[in-house]
Amino acid sequence: MLNHTVMSPPAPATLRNALVSVENLRHLYRKGSASDLLVLDDVQVALHENEIVSLLGRSGSGKSTLLRIIAGLMPASAGTVTIDGQPVKGPASQVAMVFQSFALFPWLTVLENVEIGLEAQGVAPAERRKRALAAIDLIGLDGFESAYPKELSGGMRQRVGLARALVVHPKVLLMDEPFSALDVLTAETLRTDLLDLWAEGRMPIRAILLVTHNIEEAVLMSDRILVFSSNPGRVIAEIKVDLPQPRNRLDPAFRQIVDDIYARMTARTTSPAQRGGTFLGSGLGMVLPHVSTNVLSGLMEAVSGPPHHGRATLQALASELQLEVDELFPMAETLQLLRFAELDSGVVRLTDEGQRFAAGEVDARKSLFAQHLIAYVPLAAHIRRVLDERPSHRAPAARFQDELEDHMSESFAEQTLGGVTSWARYAEAFAFDQTTGMFSLENPD
Ligand code: ADP
Ligand code: MG
C-alpha cells in the first residue's frame, strides 16, 4: 500500500492553471569581484487552490530566497512568478509572509501590531479594528489585545505574526520556517491549531506554501512536498502525501514516507559537491562544516561497533546518538569527504580505512587522519604545500582566509579555515598559533 506518490515535474499547462506558478526561475546573488552565487536554477513550482505545499530543503538551499521572490520582495534574475494569472512585479498584496521570528513592534500592543498590516493598505480605522480583532480571536489570542510583545511567550508572539499575516486576507500564505524558533511542544500546538483552522476552512486564505528543513513537519502538514536540492536550489522530487488529517507521527505509513524522503535527500550522485550536500562549491572553494575530530571519531566508533558492524542507517544512528538527522548529516558527509565512509540512500557505511580508524590506537588514528586530510581536503593540501615550500615553513592564516573569500562569504571562510585548522591540529599535519595567527610545521601539537 502506497500512501504517497512521487510525481513528475509540473507540465506548462498545470503551471498556468495554478494559483501560484513559478516558471524557469533562476537567481544569482552578486558577490562583487568574485564569481556570482547561483542560488536557484530552473525552479518550477505550482501551488493550487486549497493546498498546503511544503518546500523541504537543507539550510542554505535558497528556500527563503524563493519565498522572497514569490512575495515580490525582490526580483529574480530570470523566470516568472504569477499569482492568479497576474505576474508578480513588486510587493504583492495577495500574499502574506510569516517568518521564523517575527519582527513585532515592541512599542505597539498586540492589537496595534496586527492592525498595522491593514494601515499600509489604506483600510479605514473602524474596519481595521474589526478585522484585527477577528484575526486575533481566530488565532487564539483573545484577551491579549492590549498586551505588549515583551509580555508574551515565543509561541504567542508567533501567533501575533500569524494574525498579522491573516488580517490582510491574502490569497496565499507563505511561511518561512515558522515553527523552528519555538520549543517542541509550543511548535506542535501551533501546527495543530493551524491545521485545524485550515481543515475547518476558517482562515481567509486559499493556499499555503510552507518552507521547512524538518522532514516530519513537512509530512505532518502538507498535501505535497517539494524536495529542494542545494547549490543551486531546484526541485529534485515531488511527493504527494495521501494520508488523511489529522496525521499521526507513529503511524507506519507516516514513518514510511519520512524514511523515503530521508533516502531521497541522501541519495548518492557523483560527488558531495554535486549531491547538494553540505559542501558548497568544490576544490579550494568548498565550504566545510565545523565538525570536531571527537565527533568524527565517535561516529566511526558507533557505526563500527554492534549492532551496526560498519553499516548503519542515519535514523538509527540519530536516535542512538540523540541527534536530529539534520545535525547528523554534516557529520556523515564529512566522513564521506574524508573517505572514511560512504553515504547512500540514508545509510552510512564505513570504508576499510574508516574501519581501520575505528579499530586503531591514538597514533595510528592520527596518522590515518593526516593522510586522508591531505589527500581529500584541497584546502588542507594547499596549506601544507605552502608551508612545505616556504623556507620558514610558516604562513599567516590571513592569506588563506583571503583566498577563501574569493569563493565564499567571510563567515563561511572563517568556518572553513577553522574546521580545517582543528582537523590538522589533531592529525599533527600542521600547527596554528592563535596569538600570532600563523600556520607552521614547527612542533605541531
Ligand atoms: P535557505 O532559506 O534555504 O537557508 P537562503 O535563500 O537564505 O537559503 O540562502 C541561499 C544562499 O544564498 C545561501 O548560500 C546564502 O548565504 C545566500 N544568500 C542569501 N541571501 C543573500 C544575499 N542577500 N546576498 C548574498 N547571498 C545571499
Ligand atoms: Mg531560510
Side-chain angles (χ1 to χ4, degrees), residues 60 62-65 68 100 176-177 211:
K63 304 179 301 295
S64 296
T65 301
R68 286 198 292 270
Q100 180 178 348
D176 194 351
E177 313 217 13
V211 156

Side-chain angles (χ1 to χ4, degrees), residues 247-384:
R247 293 174 186 163
N248 175 357
R249 288 172 188 267
L250 302 176
D251 174 2
F254 187 103
R255 304 306 327 162
Q256 178 62 48
I257 301 177
V258 172
D259 287 354
D260 183 59
I261 297 175
Y262 277 134
R264 272 168 201 287
M265 290 180 79
T266 58
R268 181 156 80 172
T269 53
T270 40
S271 77
Q274 285 167 296
R275 200 157 28 79
T278 310
F279 309 113
L280 306 169
S282 60
L284 207 56
M286 186 157 54
V287 174
L288 299 173
H290 211 308
V291 181
S292 78
T293 50
N294 273 336
V295 166
L296 295 174
S297 315
L299 194 55
M300 284 190 266
E301 284 164 18
V303 180
S304 135
H308 307 301
H309 305 292
R311 188 183 176 284
T313 65
L314 279 176
Q315 270 185 295
L317 276 176
S319 63
E320 188 180 318
L321 303 171
Q322 305 205 328
L323 292 170
E324 294 289 324
V325 171
D326 289 330
E327 297 173 278
L328 195 55
F329 264 138
M331 303 172 188
E333 290 198 306
T334 303
L335 287 185
Q336 167 159 285
L337 173 75
L338 289 163
R339 309 286 203 280
F340 284 129
E342 282 170 359
L343 186 58
D344 188 12
S345 304
V347 173
V348 188
R349 197 181 62 75
L350 291 186
T351 58
D352 292 346
E353 288 81 5
Q355 295 277 23
R356 267 176 52 212
F357 183 99
E361 296 294 330
V362 177
D363 286 343
R365 283 183 171 194
K366 285 188 176 197
S367 103
L368 196 57
F369 200 92
Q371 286 166 34
H372 282 233
L373 180 64
I374 302 297
Y376 303 121
V377 179
L379 175 62
H382 176 56
I383 296 175
R384 179 67 202 223

Side-chain angles (χ1 to χ4, degrees), residues 3 14 18 29 126 138 174 241 282 333 384 401 407 415 421 431:
N3 294 87
T14 315
Y29 284 111
L138 180 71
L174 305 176
V241 185
S282 60
E333 290 198 306
R384 179 67 202 223
Q401 172 81 23
H407 304 275
Q415 168 192 311
T421 303

Side-chain angles (χ1 to χ4, degrees), residues 29-30 37 39 58-65 68 280 412:
Y29 284 111
R30 303 265 164 232
L37 182 66
V39 184
R58 314 271 305 272
S59 163
S61 59
K63 304 179 301 295
S64 296
T65 301
R68 286 198 292 270
L280 306 169
F412 275 136

